[in-house]
Amino acid sequence: MPDFQQIFGQPPQTEASAPGRVNLLGEHTDYNDGFVLPTAIPQRTTVQLSLSNDSQHHFYSQELDQKVSISEKHPTTEGFASYILGCIRVLETAGYTIPPLNLYVNSSVPMGSGLSSSAALEVATLRGLRKLLNLNIDDIQIAQFGQQAEIQYAGVQCGIMDQMASSLADTNSMLFLDTRTLERRVLPFPAGAEILAIDSGVPRTLAGSGYNQRRAECEEAAKLLKVKALRDIADPQAVEILPEPLRRRARHVVTENNRVLEVLQGVSAIRFGELMNASHASLRDDYEVSVPALDTLVAMLQETPGVFGARLTGAGFGGACVALVEEGKADAIASNILTRYENTGNKGHILVPEIP
Ligand code: ADP
Ligand code: MG
């Protein structure tokens, strides 16, 4: 692959990186002002930057082997460049002056697997801009600018979790985040446990439309319950007055928020696993965002010795699942499960731990 010098004819002036993330608990809660519990993964996205010597921005992605040039003044663009240009444009809207740039992306975060390569790209880009231009912005603003870029320029109605996780989480702990107040707490992993994430190999085909529909259902449920957001309901009984399917949608959000809050009290790996299993059942039966392949994979994980618990992670409709397993056993458990999973006609692959 060509490097920065070969693409842009000059060396980079600076570089920055940011990790992907996996969400351990608190799924489909972030757009309900609720609670989430992601952790950073070892895979990262790196951007290298320099000032461009013409009046255009030039972006190159090593993964896509694609170069895009955009006039400094051109408001929008498409594809991967929209995430990067989006970061530039939201900074400009906030009053910063961004000169024409050369920006080179390379990443070990798999794209579209639910590990949030998009947020890693945004946070890495914003960190790179902060460094190159000495911008006075903090890590929370970076997350917020990244989210705005994704909503306004990539057209994805995302919550704040992915960018906050990429900007603030590390791989050695869990980041509890209140998505309404942005209050956060760094929590240790349950003792004796580590993370395993597996891609189901099922593409998230309905993810976009299904996601928007669930968002709309939650808004409707909150309206009927006369609260600002479902986060404001703590008692699962309160949703029983709602018509179906809103009752089950709201029940997922309320119980899921309670599961995350329980972790704040400090729980064992065994209890954490039970909460993950309950989260999966809720996502499958109440929120209806699972698919048979994910259910199969999660069930295989749940019945395997050494696994504390497992659930789908990310928006669902395909994509990945995450498990909490006994420390040191993730690789062995994964290879055993992947062989059995292949016998069901699907092909999965391990996402975390990172395969060197
Ligand atoms: P996820 O965030 O779960 O990986 P998304 O669909 O939200 O999936 O984001 C994936 C998109 O982000 C890609 O289609 C691409 O446009 C952009 N992207 C992420 N990482 C890179 C990269 N390394 N190079 C180019 N584009 C990237
Ligand atoms: Mg994304």
Side-chain angles (χ1 to χ4, degrees):
M1 279 295 166
D3 64 12
F4 191 103
Q5 174 81 43
Q6 287 161 319
I7 294 290
F8 299 119
Q10 52 172 260
Q13 289 169 253
T14 191
E15 71 170 53
S17 74
R21 64 97 188 94
V22 60
N23 191 24
L24 303 176
L25 213 52
E27 211 65 76
H28 288 280
T29 49
D30 70 344
Y31 53 83
N32 290 297
D33 279 3
F35 311 108
V36 295
L37 195 70
T39 181
I41 57 170
Q43 292 96 324
R44 301 181 76 86
T45 297
T46 302
V47 303
Q48 297 174 302
L49 301 109
S50 72
L51 299 177
S52 129
N53 38 30
D54 60 19
S55 59
Q56 296 198 310
H57 294 297
H58 305 279
F59 308 143
Y60 175 80
S61 160
Q62 195 181 75
E63 285 62 53
L64 303 176
D65 189 21
Q66 211 176 312
K67 186 177 173 192
V68 175
S69 297
I70 307 153
S71 155
E72 189 189 0
K73 300 252 151 45
H74 195 77
T76 57
T77 182
E78 290 169 352
F80 85 97
S82 63
Y83 295 84
I84 303 167
L85 189 71
C87 291
I88 294 172
R89 295 290 178 248
V90 297
L91 285 175
E92 288 171 340
T93 304
Y96 298 95
T97 302
I98 313 294
L101 297 167
N102 297 316
L103 189 150
Y104 184 108
V105 186
N106 81 83
S107 178
S108 54
V109 186
M111 277 184 250
S113 291
L115 297 182
S116 209
S117 67
S118 58
L121 177 56
E122 292 144 13
V123 172
T125 296
L126 288 159
R127 284 180 176 170
L129 291 167
R130 174 169 69 182
K131 217 163 153 186
L132 182 74
L133 305 170
N134 283 317
L135 305 180
N136 185 19
I137 53 176
D138 64 25
D139 292 343
I140 294 175
Q141 288 173 294
I142 283 196
Q144 291 168 324
F145 286 138
Q147 182 200 17
Q148 285 169 28
E150 184 147 344
I151 293 174
Q152 294 168 21
Y153 292 87
V156 182
Q157 285 298 322
C158 57
I160 188 74
M161 168 173 64
D162 295 352
Q163 292 80 8
M164 286 292 279
S166 182
S167 186
L168 295 163
D170 61 62
T171 56
N172 300 318
S173 49
M174 314 188 285
L175 180 75
F176 165 84
L177 176 69
D178 178 336
T179 62
R180 174 178 281 169
T181 63
L182 299 190
E183 180 202 335
R184 59 207 171 275
R185 237 186 277 174
V186 176
L187 304 172
F189 280 125
E194 67 176 338
I195 301 302
L196 168 63
I198 295 177
D199 189 291
S200 69
V202 177
R204 300 178 300 166
T205 33
L206 282 171
S209 55
Y211 181 86
N212 290 337
Q213 191 191 18
R214 292 297 176 281
R215 275 189 86 125
E217 287 167 345
C218 287
E219 270 170 41
E220 180 66 21
K223 210 192 282 169
L224 290 173
L225 293 168
K226 300 190 169 54
V227 289
K228 185 160 170 275
L230 288 178
R231 130 63 174 280
D232 296 307
I233 309 277
D235 179 4
Q237 280 301 319
V239 309
E240 291 300 320
I241 58 163
L242 292 171
E244 294 292 6
L246 303 186
R247 182 184 72 91
R248 281 176 300 133
R249 304 294 187 254
R251 187 167 64 178
H252 165 71
V253 175
V254 172
T255 58
E256 186 78 353
N257 276 327
N258 288 343
R259 283 184 279 274
V260 180
L261 291 175
E262 185 179 330
V263 174
L264 272 186
Q265 313 305 314
V267 296
S268 67
I270 289 172
R271 181 62 190 149
F272 197 99
E274 289 169 358
L275 293 169
M276 292 175 92
N277 294 344
S279 170
H280 186 78
S282 177
L283 288 160
R284 179 191 60 209
D285 302 333
D286 279 350
Y287 220 60
E288 295 183 285
V289 293
S290 192
V291 291
L294 276 173
D295 291 338
T296 303
L297 196 50
V298 166
M300 282 178 175
L301 282 161
Q302 288 174 346
E303 68 200 25
T304 299
V307 176
F308 295 113
R311 55 183 284 274
L312 72 85
T313 186
F317 303 100
C321 62
V322 62
L324 191 74
V325 307
E326 279 175 31
E327 207 164 11
K329 293 207 176 151
D331 288 315
I333 288 170
S335 53
N336 173 300
I337 296 243
L338 284 173
T339 312
R340 285 171 58 211
Y341 182 60
E342 222 167 281
N343 294 334
T344 70
N346 293 292
K347 184 143 179 57
H349 67 271
I350 184 165
L351 298 167
V352 180
E354 186 177 22
I355 299 159

